[in-house]
Each structure stands twice: as structure tokens, then as C-alpha cells.
Amino acid sequence: MNRQPVRLTLRASPHRLAGHDTPKIMRHVVYALLPVTLWAIWQFGLSALLLVLAVVASCVLTERLIIRDPSRPRDLSAVITGLTLAMSLPPALPLWMGAVAGMVAIALGKLLFGGLGSNVFNPALIGRAFVQASFPAAMTTWTPAGATDRFTGLIPSTLTPPFVMPPPVAAWATARLDGFSGATPLASWKFAGELPAHGHFLFSPGASGSLGETSALLIVVCGLYLAVRGMLNWRIPLAVLTGAALLTALAGPFPRLPDGLLFVLTSGGLMFGAWFMATDMVTAPISRHGLWLYGLLIGMLAVTLRFWGGASEGVMYAILLANALVPHIDALIRPRRYGHGKFGRRA
């Protein structure tokens, strides 16, 4: 009787797979970002569509030009970087500035550190920080959402040639919305003390701001889709919002706390940053307690910069600062090894 030889395969951990690989996770992240992107395009029109395409194309092409390896498996990480970066930009930003942001995000924010899985900071925020420092006027030029001709015309600054000063858009914006001040609701509160009557932006058609600031409710729904599928750690956004809420309740300058609290949580880029930027698996801590500390830190830093900083928004800097502290958080909070706990015996 002939017996077939038994083949023993030795492999490194993990031995049990969760059913999620990197391409699958990235594909679903793109699915989750699409509704937010489409809503932003619906609100701001052709200029928003062209800006999203320019940023995503810049990210993808930059990665392809720098990494010339035909055997390298293609993933959607550059597309995700492009979409999250585009959502953090104002709709009136010239396309060439958006393309520069995409190149910096991939080249300096991702590939300089070793590529996928090795970056220390969120690449999209590195790209945004670069254009924020390089083109501050363009990055703080806001236009109204819901213009009647948004699908038949472009914002005047959209097609500005490279290295040319963008034309002013104040007259263009005022002609499309009476009384438009050229400031986001968060900036109006910060510098003029004007709190919107409805007090929150869970679903706010017509609000000005970055592309990803137009509907906090839609962002939450899309983020929950990833959390339910196990592709996003729900502890991070919950901790971010908890940290922001705690500091607002303890030290916030709002006489009507419910309205002020909702305004802080749903305005600006806090909700998008909490669900789609702070949750980047590469730049977040590895332990559960570390995730809570990381999220609380981001929420409190963002609110601190909003209340007492010189700018109206602080989410970008809060996440980048927290990214820099992640190695220290991981060193401080380490998972307990089996057999080394309270009742464990050390070898």
C-alpha cells in the first residue's frame, strides 16, 4: 500500500486570516469616499469635479513615475490619498495647485518614507500642509455652494495657469449668493462671533468650505460602513469626537452649549478628519488603549487650535502632531504578553 507523503508547511504568524487583504480594504475605502465626493461635486459643480480629477491623477501619476516596477502589484492607495486630499481643499483652488499638492503628498508624504505601510504622517495632510504654507491666499478663498450655474461654468480661479496669481472671486461669488461674506461658517464664528442659527451642519447644502465639509451626516454614514465591515477602527473617530466634546463642554466659549457643541463637532473638517484621516492604519497606534489616547489627543488639539489659535481650523495640525506622537504612544502603551500579567510567571 503506497502512502502519499505528508507535506508540512511552516509559516510565520498570523495563522488565522481575517478575510481582508490590503487591496480589498482599499477598494472599500474608495467606495466609502465616493458618496462624499459626489455630494461635494453636486454642491460645487464642475470646478470641484476637475479639482478632484486633477488631484487624484497627480497622485497616481507621481507614484507611477517614481516607482517604475512593472512587477509591483497595483493598489488604490494613491487614489485614496488623492480623494482624501481633494476633500480637504477649497473648490476655488486652481487645478495646478491641486496637482502640486498631490505630487507632494505622494513623493514626500509617502514614498520618501519607504512607500505603502512605511509613512509616518498621513500623506494627504502632508500635501495639504505644503499648499497651505505655499499658497495661503488661495487656500483661504471660499466660494458658495449651490450656485445655479455650477454645472455650466467654472469658478474664475479654476483654470489659472501655473505660477500666475489667481483672479479674485469675490464679485463672482457675491453675484451668485446675496450677502456672501467669503468666509466659512467656522471662520465667521471665529472672527465675527456669528454662530449659525441652526447651530450644526449634519446636512448642510449651501454651506461654504472645503469639499469635504458639506455634510457631516453623510461622512458618518460612510464611515460607519467601513466600521461595520471591520475596515475602520471605530475607537478612533469616537475618541476624536469625545475629546472635542469634552474640551468644548469644559472650556468652550458658547453660552448655549447644545448648539455650540453640535457646531464644533459638525463644522469644518473635524468629522472628515476623524473618520477618514485619523483612522489611517499606518499612522495610528497598534493597541486599543493607544487608539483611545490618540483619538482624544486629536480631538482636544483640534478644539484647542480652534478656540485659542490664530486660525479658524486646526484639524490638519492636530492629526499631524498626533501622527508624530504615535511611536511614543506605542512605546508607552504596550500589549501585555501572555504569561507576563498579574498572575503570570516570568521565565
Side-chain angles (χ1 to χ4, degrees), residues 41-220:
I41 293 171
W42 172 255
Q43 287 292 294
F44 294 104
L46 289 178
S47 290
L49 173 61
L50 292 178
L51 182 60
V52 170
L53 293 177
V55 175
V56 173
S58 174
C59 290
V60 174
L61 290 175
T62 301
E63 188 172 69
R64 293 292 179 264
L65 289 174
I66 295 178
I67 304 178
R68 299 183 180 183
D69 184 2
S71 64
R72 178 180 178 272
R74 296 188 177 185
D75 54 55
L76 295 173
S77 61
V79 176
I80 294 173
T81 299
L83 288 176
T84 52
L85 173 57
M87 291 300 101
S88 71
L89 300 176
L93 190 72
L95 299 184
W96 74 271
M97 294 184 185
V100 169
M103 288 187 288
V104 171
I106 296 297
L108 300 184
K110 180 181 176 182
L111 300 183
L112 183 65
F113 291 95
L116 181 63
S118 301
N119 52 286
V120 178
F121 301 98
N122 186 292
L125 291 179
I126 292 294
R128 190 190 192 281
F130 181 86
V131 293
Q132 179 75 46
S134 303
F135 317 113
M139 287 293 291
T140 53
T141 298
W142 310 105
T143 51
T148 55
D149 60 346
R150 62 189 184 278
F151 293 111
T152 57
L154 297 174
I155 300 172
S157 57
T158 296
L159 298 180
T160 303
F163 310 111
V164 174
M165 182 70 68
V169 299
W172 178 91
T174 304
R176 282 149 182 81
L177 185 65
D178 293 336
F180 180 71
S181 63
T184 64
L186 194 59
S188 296
W189 163 78
K190 175 77 175 183
F191 301 112
E194 299 175 358
L195 187 65
H198 54 281
H200 63 86
F201 293 88
L202 286 175
F203 196 75
S204 53
S208 60
S210 298
L211 296 181
E213 296 182 13
T214 51
S215 176
L217 181 60
L218 184 60
I219 292 170
V220 172

Side-chain angles (χ1 to χ4, degrees), residues 9-17:
T9 303
L10 298 179
R11 293 180 180 174
S13 61
H15 303 293
R16 182 179 178 184
L17 301 179

